[in-house]
Amino acid sequence: MSSKGNTSGADPSWGKRSDLEVLNRDIRRVDGPDKATGRAVYTHDVRLPNMLHAAVLMHPVPRADIRTMDISAAEALPGVVYVLRVKEDGKDVQYSGDDAVLAVVAAESPEAAMDGVRAIVVDAENKEPVVSTERAKEPDAPLVARRRRATSNITSRRARGEEDAVKAALEASAAMVEMEIEIPVQHHVCLEPHGHVVDPGGEGENATVYASTQAVSGMSGAFAGKGMLNRKASEIRALTPHMGGGFGAKFGPGLEGRLAAQIARATGRPVHLVLSRSNEFTMGGNRSGSKQSLKLGADKTGKFTAIHVVAERHGGFGGGAFPGAPYRYAVPSVFVDTMSVKTATDSSRAMRAPGHPQASFGMESVVDQIAYALKMDPVDVRKKNLTADTHHRQLDRVAQEIGWNDHPNRTAPGTPKNGRAVGIGFGVAGWSPGGRDCQCDVTVHPDGSVISATATQDLGTGARTYVAAIVAEELGLTVDQVTPRIGDSDLPPSVASGGSVTTGSSAPAIKDAAHKMREALEAKLEPVLQAPVGGYIWTGGRVHSEEDPTNSLAWTEVCALLRDPLQVSGRFQKSLYEGRIHGVQAAKVEVDTMTGRVKVLKMVAMQDQGLPLNRMALRSQINGGMIQALSYGLLERRVFDESDGYLLSDNLDLYKIAGAQEMPEMVAIIDDEDERDSVCGMAEAPIIPGQSAIANAIYNACGARLTRMPFTPDNVLEAIHGEV
Amino acid sequence: MADPQDPRPDKDAKVPALSRRSFLKGAGGVAAATGVLQGAVQATPQEGRAATLSGTVELELTINGQAKKVTCEPRTTLLSALRDRVEPALTGAKPVCDMGSCGACTVMVDGKPTYSCLTLAVQCKGKEVTTVEGFGTPENMSDVQEAFCAKDGMMCGFCTPGFVVATHACLDRNPDADLDEIKFELSGNLCRCGTYPHVFDAVQAAQAARKAGGQDR
Ligand code: FES
Ligand code: FES
């Protein structure tokens, strides 16, 4: 970094954008070559000597009494080494999910483990499944809620606001819209399923756990307990060299980690237990579904007056997530009544912006509808009710990019021509990414090598790359001169990657360590280059005194001054972080009103986050958010057979996610008017509003209001023609 | 044990000799397999233990230009053979759906992109199998691998080996593919992180490099 404004001796700062030589540019992922050549080793790929492969037997329906389970045939199969009984005879299965795990078979090969699973004989009495929320709400439905004294499957009900006042305000409004929203359960579909390889270690050796996790720092402790490896956390090393997606589903070891640990302990052998795709759909978590009744009022200028929301969270055995109302917009008079409706299905987990895409879809749908009800431009109505200037400038820019200003139907929906109609819709997002304590060590060796180490994990965000790049920037080096070390619980502790907290926590700690290293090196330079600490410029692999640029040393010469490796430790610095971000998205769609097929033609997203550390990885993240939202809006739906309780969508044929053919033209805009001298994570925000923008675009195209996700042809035709 | 920081399949490691492979046969096995049906089903195997058919096959496969001896069963998929039965293990091809829906396991068999999860190892006898590892190494990447890095055609990277192989196949088959054709060629591969736009950029960058006189590799 060459900035004079960022001299050392002062507190660390990210520095002027124009002075940056590494950050705020397109940086190639440092692990790209490993990933592109198949060299990168994920937990699923770990192969250890003497390793057992484990497979899981699950009861296929949600509720049952397990009378007996005979594992003797499985135990006798060649290649089968160990069968772990998870449900004892006489116990019940309470929901489809980890509670349905009956046994685990560990064998010499994956095929032998599956043979073992198939050879287990279960005698069970299945009970009414209670997989639909409609059934769960009926007074005579079996109770699935585990709460003491629960009398209903409706739990955690909470109302906020003066209902009578809100009703009166709605009635007095110039316009009022009412909508019933239905959103199915979505799955994370991490391409690498949940799983671990647990190596118990030999006599006197430490244990090693390879984990596909978003929280490598916590893993040693999580595997230490009695039901786990029953060892001290300090004797367990957790490693996450690479991981194949998390999206909020992969924090603790889960039941699968516990069972792998138990088998490793019992057999003394390393155990590879990674869930099958079907197991993953059944017990790997999900985004809760939602049902919302919304009423929104506005005055004749388009200013919102009041909102009334009754919302159900459909989180299966768990509570589900919903952030409340109004979502993102300012409304003076608010009544919200929220509740969980429990079913005997897998508990929802955190999923990229938990609850927010659901809330966005409800809110943006009524916001959009009220604009058309008032014959106003929906972009103008949004601006009237959004308080952040950032949202205003982003709406303008995104509207321009998607072609809104030349679009014919801006205050009323269009009509199809030859059965086809094109429309544009919008949605807004926001998030408060966290920043917490976190540590990083930077070491410089006399031979010139630099190591930047923190126990974070790279979920695909590019974290490994900025662990090196931030240090390179500070010391005037190139990214490849710094070796990043992450994904190891023995490294300085970092945070669990949830709530977009990783960058906001670890980047300041890395910057702090880099800054301290620069000062430590400058102290060594004083006798050589005759400038005080803070009087140097580091750039292009050299350092020179600020006063006299000819007085300089090359990086290797600087390092040669060291007799031993020099190590410094950095910590999270609040001054380097700010956790407040905004985004806007727009979608342009073509609706075939004869078949109900929706084709997204273009999506545009704009996003702020303070200093962009790596612009290329940032655009990847923004694209990824748009694509997951598109997939959520158009394709994704968990489906249970409601009479028997089988999960029908437990594979990638029947649970659809977006592929290459669904991809529209995509534009990811980094909001460069945001000049904050801070960093934070941003991955949640761009997944929030895309499906809302698509639904609004469908309405704008042809006047069909999609209130039920996903926007599959059947739902679209119903919105066009009414119930058929 | 190998360095735990480098949990690469260890080629020097001793893997236990695979015991006699076997698979279920006949009604007893099938009844056991479906013993967890709806209702109060009592499933009893007709014999005390699941009956078995056994058989191992010694195969020679040509993988990335090298002859490899593989001990497997008739039912062993090519994917499983690559990941669990060759030494050192080739784990670039990923098991994701195990049913031909996602393309993460894509390899070339005699120059054709093939889902290795749907292909039996025994079918590949006498054929050339090329995995993502066979196209290049981190030190010497193929033009496609290089383009994926340059354009950030990856995030978590779990789908990336499949996309790289599918892209090689696309460029072999249709070097001048336009964007729609590229989408069609890659429609057998899924990415959850949402790398598609940058993957398309990478394919086009590789196309452009080949046109500009870069070598086909
Ligand atoms: S694992 Fe073979 S196609 Fe998905
Ligand atoms: S990069 Fe993660 S699934 Fe494609």
Side-chain angles (χ1 to χ4, degrees), chain A residues 503-562:
Chain A
T503 302
S505 305
S506 56
I510 300 158
K511 178 72 179 179
D512 185 47
H515 185 75
K516 287 195 173 115
M517 175 55 75
R518 171 173 160 163
E519 290 187 334
L521 291 172
E522 290 181 357
K524 307 244 177 223
L525 286 174
E526 249 186 289
V528 187
L529 294 182
Q530 271 81 44
V533 170
Y536 295 91
I537 305 289
W538 299 76
T539 179
R542 297 190 75 83
V543 58
H544 63 81
S545 105
E546 214 178 315
E547 304 261 285
D548 176 7
T550 60
N551 203 4
S552 79
L553 284 182
W555 173 251
T556 46
E557 294 169 320
V558 174
C559 299
L561 299 173
L562 302 173

Side-chain angles (χ1 to χ4, degrees), chain A residues 29 35 42 45 111 121 620, chain B residues 43 80 94 152 155-156 196:
Chain A
R29 239 166 246 267
K35 287 179 173 177
Y42 297 76
D45 304 332
E111 289 85 355
V121 182
S620 283
Chain B
S80 170
K94 305 292 185 221
D152 210 37
M155 284 192 259
C156 82
Y196 303 106

Side-chain angles (χ1 to χ4, degrees), chain A residues 386-458:
Chain A
L386 284 165
T387 50
D389 290 345
T390 313
H391 273 140
H392 288 230
R393 75 164 179 256
Q394 291 181 344
L395 269 167
D396 286 340
R397 177 74 198 281
V398 166
Q400 183 199 355
E401 180 65 39
I402 197 92
W404 180 248
N405 302 333
D406 312 315
H407 186 61
N409 11 315
R410 287 174 32 207
T411 52
T415 41
K417 285 186 190 61
N418 301 324
R420 283 170 198 265
V422 173
I424 293 173
F426 295 84
V428 306
W431 191 256
S432 303
R436 288 190 219 123
D437 197 22
C438 175
Q439 298 172 36
C440 174
D441 286 353
V442 172
T443 312
V444 171
H445 290 266
D447 68 359
S449 56
V450 188
I451 293 166
S452 176
T454 176
T456 192
Q457 47 283 322
D458 193 328

Side-chain angles (χ1 to χ4, degrees), chain A residues 284-330:
Chain A
N286 57 72
R287 180 191 291 290
S288 51
S290 170
K291 195 165 180 222
Q292 303 164 36
S293 308
L294 301 104
K295 294 189 185 80
L296 177 69
D299 67 19
K300 60 179 191 308
T301 71
K303 243 3 253 102
F304 301 152
T305 51
I307 188 166
H308 185 288
V309 179
V310 180
E312 295 173 6
R313 295 175 294 259
H314 299 167
F317 213 72
F322 188 76
Y327 188 72
R328 297 291 158 205
Y329 292 88

Side-chain angles (χ1 to χ4, degrees), chain A residues 78-428:
Chain A
V80 170
V81 173
Y82 191 82
V83 181
L84 177 65
R85 189 187 275 279
V86 182
K87 277 278 180 216
E88 294 302 328
D89 289 353
K91 294 274 187 225
D92 63 340
V93 171
Q94 302 196 12
Y95 57 92
S96 163
D98 58 4
D99 200 49
V101 173
L102 302 180
V104 183
V105 178
E108 302 288 358
S109 72
E111 289 85 355
M114 281 312 301
D115 288 346
V117 162
R118 282 187 284 257
I120 294 172
V121 182
V122 179
D123 173 17
E125 169 135 20
N126 293 339
K127 300 188 277 197
E128 189 193 334
V130 199
V131 291
S132 93
T133 51
E134 288 315 303
R135 173 64 184 136
K137 282 190 280 187
E138 285 166 9
D140 68 333
L143 287 185
V144 299
R146 210 182 241 164
R147 292 259 176 94
R148 271 201 300 156
R149 293 209 305 271
T151 54
S152 153
N153 290 321
I154 299 175
T155 68
S156 316
R157 184 161 194 165
R158 207 174 133 241
R160 188 169 62 80
E162 300 283 327
E163 189 167 17
D164 290 341
V166 168
K167 281 188 170 155
L170 285 171
E171 238 136 71
S173 297
M176 203 263 277
V177 298
E178 256 186 279
M179 224 175 269
E180 302 288 324
I181 294 286
E182 274 176 60
I183 305 175
V185 167
Q186 181 191 26
H187 288 285
H188 301 73
V189 201
C190 310
L191 287 204
E192 181 182 37
H194 286 72
H196 305 82
V197 175
V198 180
D199 180 357
E203 272 296 307
E205 285 177 8
N206 285 346
T208 311
V209 175
Y210 298 91
S212 185
T213 183
Q214 302 178 220
V216 74
S217 267
M219 271 293 168
S220 308
F223 270 86
K226 271 231 164 53
M228 304 293 287
L229 286 170
N230 198 19
R231 301 185 65 162
K232 292 201 200 88
S234 59
E235 295 169 3
I236 301 168
R237 184 178 186 190
L239 295 170
T240 306
H242 296 280
M243 59 101 66
F247 313 115
K250 291 179 178 167
F251 288 104
L255 179 66
E256 64 283 0
R258 176 141 56 90
L259 300 177
Q262 287 174 4
I263 298 172
R265 202 150 53 111
T267 60
R269 294 175 61 174
V271 175
H272 179 286
L273 198 173
V274 176
L275 297 182
S276 71
R277 186 52 53 188
S278 160
N279 296 160
E280 176 73 12
F281 273 114
T282 311
M283 63 181 272
N286 57 72
R287 180 191 291 290
S288 51
S290 170
K291 195 165 180 222
Q292 303 164 36
S293 308
L294 301 104
K295 294 189 185 80
L296 177 69
D299 67 19
K300 60 179 191 308
T301 71
K303 243 3 253 102
F304 301 152
T305 51
I307 188 166
H308 185 288
V309 179
V310 180
E312 295 173 6
R313 295 175 294 259
H314 299 167
F317 213 72
F322 188 76
Y327 188 72
R328 297 291 158 205
Y329 292 88
V331 186
S333 183
V334 181
F335 176 80
V336 211
D337 180 5
T338 56
M339 68 205 81
S340 299
V341 181
K342 304 264 174 140
T343 52
T345 59
D346 191 23
S347 173
S348 62
R349 298 189 189 183
M351 182 169 175
R352 207 168 172 181
H356 288 242
Q358 298 95 310
S360 163
F361 182 52
M363 188 71 195
E364 292 286 359
S365 297
V366 285
V367 165
D368 209 60
Q369 192 69 27
I370 214 161
Y372 293 109
L374 289 163
K375 299 192 173 28
M376 291 177 70
D377 179 330
V379 173
D380 292 341
V381 170
R382 281 182 171 78
K383 285 204 229 162
K384 281 212 162 78
N385 297 284
L386 284 165
T387 50
D389 290 345
T390 313
H391 273 140
H392 288 230
R393 75 164 179 256
Q394 291 181 344
L395 269 167
D396 286 340
R397 177 74 198 281
V398 166
Q400 183 199 355
E401 180 65 39
I402 197 92
W404 180 248
N405 302 333
D406 312 315
H407 186 61
N409 11 315
R410 287 174 32 207
T411 52
T415 41
K417 285 186 190 61
N418 301 324
R420 283 170 198 265
V422 173
I424 293 173
F426 295 84
V428 306

Side-chain angles (χ1 to χ4, degrees), chain B residues 94-105 115 117:
Chain B
K94 305 292 185 221
V96 166
C97 68
D98 222 17
M99 59 183 288
S101 314
C102 77
C105 64
Y115 288 159
C117 72

Side-chain angles (χ1 to χ4, degrees), chain A residues 498-672:
Chain A
S500 294
V501 75
T502 313
T503 302
S505 305
S506 56
I510 300 158
K511 178 72 179 179
D512 185 47
H515 185 75
K516 287 195 173 115
M517 175 55 75
R518 171 173 160 163
E519 290 187 334
L521 291 172
E522 290 181 357
K524 307 244 177 223
L525 286 174
E526 249 186 289
V528 187
L529 294 182
Q530 271 81 44
V533 170
Y536 295 91
I537 305 289
W538 299 76
T539 179
R542 297 190 75 83
V543 58
H544 63 81
S545 105
E546 214 178 315
E547 304 261 285
D548 176 7
T550 60
N551 203 4
S552 79
L553 284 182
W555 173 251
T556 46
E557 294 169 320
V558 174
C559 299
L561 299 173
L562 302 173
R563 257 196 285 138
D564 298 308
L566 181 64
Q567 185 173 75
V568 298
S569 297
R571 281 199 104 104
F572 170 71
Q573 300 296 326
K574 215 166 173 217
S575 59
L576 294 169
Y577 148 85
E578 188 183 322
R580 193 166 40 83
I581 63 174
H582 313 78
V584 168
Q585 288 183 20
K588 183 174 184 181
V589 305
E590 183 185 76
V591 186
D592 183 330
T593 57
M594 313 295 266
T595 63
R597 193 163 174 275
V598 175
K599 186 171 168 51
V600 181
L601 303 173
K602 181 171 180 176
M603 281 182 92
V604 180
M606 187 165 179
Q607 183 66 48
D608 69 356
Q609 64 287 298
L611 171 69
L613 293 172
N614 177 353
R615 297 180 75 88
M616 185 154 69
L618 179 53
R619 290 194 304 274
S620 283
Q621 284 285 311
I622 298 173
N623 284 339
M626 281 192 274
I627 291 167
Q628 287 186 355
L630 177 152
S631 186
Y632 188 37
L634 292 188
L635 299 167
E636 298 184 39
R637 167 164 51 185
R638 182 183 74 182
V639 183
F640 271 100
D641 152 28
E642 292 185 6
S643 63
D644 292 325
Y646 290 88
L647 177 60
L648 301 176
S649 54
D650 72 340
N651 61 64
L652 281 168
D653 260 2
L654 296 176
Y655 188 92
K656 292 277 182 219
I657 63 172
Q661 304 255 51
E662 278 92 22
M663 287 307 113
E665 178 191 352
M666 299 209 134
V667 185
I669 305 172
I670 298 168
D671 186 347
D672 283 315

